[in-house]
Amino acid sequence: MKIVLFCEQKYAINILQPLEVEAVKEGGHNVLWYVQSKNIPDFPLKDEVKWTDSIQEIYDFSPEVIFVPCNIVPYYLPGVKIQIFHGYAAEKKDHWVIRRYFDTYFTQGPFFTRGFNALAKKYKDFEVVETGWPRQDWIYANLHTFDPEKEALLQKHGKSKLALYAPTFSPSLTSLPFIKEGLIKLVEEKDVLLILKFHPLTRIEWMNEYKELAEKHEHILWVEDHNITKYQIMADVMISDTSSTVYEFLLLDKPVITYKTIAKDIYWLDIQQPEELPEAFDRVLHDEAYISKRKWIIDNYDPYLDGQVCHRMLDAARDYIARHGVPQKRKLNLWRKYTSIKKFGKIK
């Protein structure tokens, strides 16, 4: 198949890369990445994969399949347009918004499949296939890759546990303006090394504030690496707020602490005051109730830590083409067409 991996934001790199790996492994595929340069000025895979920042080149490539983790894709591109999602944040309303750009949705697990099947019955112009989430394949292959790096870090800092602070970038939802003193209290009172990993869209003033904190505190580390999944695998506990990374971490069967999450259904420990962090850290590590809640998330949100997600995705894409052929473009109303052209431009 002629495949486009549609990479609009930096976080999408890690979601799409397992599909590249699987396509190469299968053989017989022609894969081209679309990388939006204004959002990703230094594409880390630029010397490893075939890519372009030109929508015209994508159109001329005439793909049969386009995999998209973000919310929009140019309607006029040929190929089956497949939404593969950028996370598990079911409490965020835009997760369930149907923008009519996609021919099919590849869902992560039963919870999402039920929701999108109901929406498919309503809109009647897209299909739903449950495959799992592609980043899970990378996790499966690297569950123990970073064990030596983790042990070296802990030994260097004289700590026994590694915590990851990964907040959302959304100004209305983030814990960044409120939680700093709690994080300091945590590393000073507990046997914890703290890693700070922020979303690339986080406000620059918050980025700078926490970079300065890491420079001043020997047991707080700032990382620039785009691959948050690496640090999720390494960490023992994650601290966040209302971010889809919470679910990614729970799916590793590891405990999470959030600060004032807006999630209606909470499967982790949520605190209301930053100074509660040290006590919450001890509690969440051993409380059987939170272990049971994580099991529910794994079973319902994404039970596919089997290394076969991308294989299922490629199979499902082939099946769609076998039944429907390759769409030449997506039928949309004028507003959606305008939005698509405004964002990505026109083609010749």
Side-chain angles (χ1 to χ4, degrees):
M1 290 187 295
K2 296 173 74 174
I3 299 169
V4 164
L5 303 180
F6 203 84
C7 191
E8 188 186 336
Q9 298 289 346
K10 199 169 186 179
Y11 62 74
I13 297 170
N14 299 329
I15 301 170
L16 292 165
Q17 190 176 16
L19 279 161
E20 164 89 22
V21 172
E22 181 63 27
V24 171
K25 178 182 173 184
E26 280 193 3
H29 300 295
N30 189 357
V31 181
L32 177 63
W33 288 66
Y34 168 72
V35 180
Q36 197 166 72
S37 294
K38 70 176 183 179
N39 296 331
I40 313 171
D42 186 18
F43 180 41
L45 304 179
K46 61 185 177 183
D47 297 324
E48 302 173 31
V49 302
K50 186 167 68 171
W51 67 281
T52 179
D53 63 357
S54 166
I55 289 291
Q56 182 67 51
E57 286 187 35
I58 295 296
Y59 179 81
D60 294 341
F61 179 67
S62 191
E64 296 168 274
V65 178
I66 308 176
F67 290 103
V68 188
C70 298
N71 295 326
I72 181 172
V73 62
Y75 73 95
Y76 47 75
L77 292 178
V80 184
K81 297 164 187 66
I82 303 173
Q83 168 64 264
I84 62 173
F85 301 99
H86 53 268
Y88 299 92
E91 71 278 0
K92 294 184 178 180
K93 292 181 181 179
D94 69 347
H95 188 91
W96 303 97
V97 173
I98 303 301
R99 297 174 176 84
R100 318 303 285 274
Y101 291 108
F102 298 101
D103 301 298
T104 184
Y105 287 70
F106 286 179
T107 53
Q108 306 97 317
F111 175 83
F112 297 101
T113 305
R114 288 191 294 270
F116 280 98
N117 272 333
L119 291 167
K121 289 180 182 178
K122 175 182 177 181
Y123 289 98
K124 296 180 171 52
D125 65 351
F126 64 85
E127 298 183 359
V128 179
V129 182
E130 185 175 303
T131 59
W133 199 42
R135 193 184 289 181
Q136 292 285 71
D137 283 359
W138 190 89
I139 291 171
Y140 176 81
N142 290 279
L143 278 173
H144 299 289
T145 300
F146 310 107
D147 288 356
E149 184 175 346
K150 175 183 178 179
E151 292 307 312
L153 275 175
L154 292 174
Q155 187 173 8
K156 176 183 177 181
H157 289 267
K159 299 287 188 175
S160 65
K161 296 290 184 184
L162 186 64
L164 171 66
Y165 177 47
T168 186
F169 70 92
S170 173
S172 63
L173 301 175
T174 188
S175 54
L176 280 164
F178 314 106
I179 204 171
K180 185 167 73 169
E181 294 304 317
L183 296 172
I184 295 170
K185 184 178 172 68
L186 174 67
V187 297
E188 289 181 348
E189 293 185 7
K190 298 298 176 182
D191 194 15
V192 176
L193 175 65
L194 180 66
I195 287 180
L196 307 176
K197 178 68 186 78
F198 288 7
H199 192 288
L201 297 181
T202 302
R203 283 182 179 176
I204 190 66
E205 61 266 31
W206 288 334
M207 290 262 205
N208 291 337
E209 179 182 353
Y210 279 84
K211 283 181 182 178
E212 185 178 340
L213 174 64
E215 289 172 0
K216 291 180 178 179
H217 205 295
E218 62 175 325
H219 300 313
I220 299 177
L221 304 179
W222 174 271
V223 294
E224 295 279 3
D225 190 341
H226 71 282
N227 188 2
I228 189 175
T229 313
K230 168 185 173 180
Y231 299 100
Q232 290 172 331
I233 291 172
M234 291 171 64
D236 299 294
V237 175
M238 189 170 79
I239 302 162
S240 191
D241 33 55
T242 305
S243 170
S244 64
T245 56
V246 165
Y247 300 99
E248 296 168 33
F249 202 78
L250 292 171
L251 289 167
L252 292 169
D253 199 13
K254 295 180 181 183
V256 170
I257 303 166
T258 57
Y259 174 79
K260 292 187 176 181
T261 183
I262 67 162
K264 293 180 180 178
D265 300 312
I266 300 176
Y267 300 92
W268 54 87
L269 176 54
D270 187 61
I271 62 174
Q272 300 300 307
Q273 301 297 330
E275 60 267 24
E276 298 173 28
L277 260 178
E279 186 275 333
F281 188 88
D282 287 339
R283 181 179 168 196
V284 79
L285 280 170
H286 306 294
D287 194 313
E288 290 293 330
Y290 296 114
I291 295 172
S292 177
K293 289 178 179 180
R294 290 201 300 273
K295 181 64 166 62
W296 188 93
I297 286 290
I298 292 167
D299 291 343
N300 287 275
Y301 270 48
D302 191 341
Y304 298 106
L305 188 60
D306 60 359
Q308 297 297 311
V309 172
C310 293
H311 178 71
R312 282 189 289 271
M313 286 185 162
L314 293 175
D315 269 353
R318 281 186 284 259
D319 176 67
Y320 186 98
I321 292 171
R323 289 182 292 110
H324 301 291
V326 178
Q328 291 308 299
K329 66 179 181 179
R330 181 83 173 153
K331 293 181 180 180
L332 286 177
N333 63 35
L334 288 175
W335 171 250
R336 292 297 185 188
K337 287 181 179 180
Y338 167 76
T339 302
S340 180
I341 292 170
K342 183 178 180 182
K343 189 174 182 68
F344 297 105
K346 295 182 178 181
I347 42 88
K348 296 177 182 178

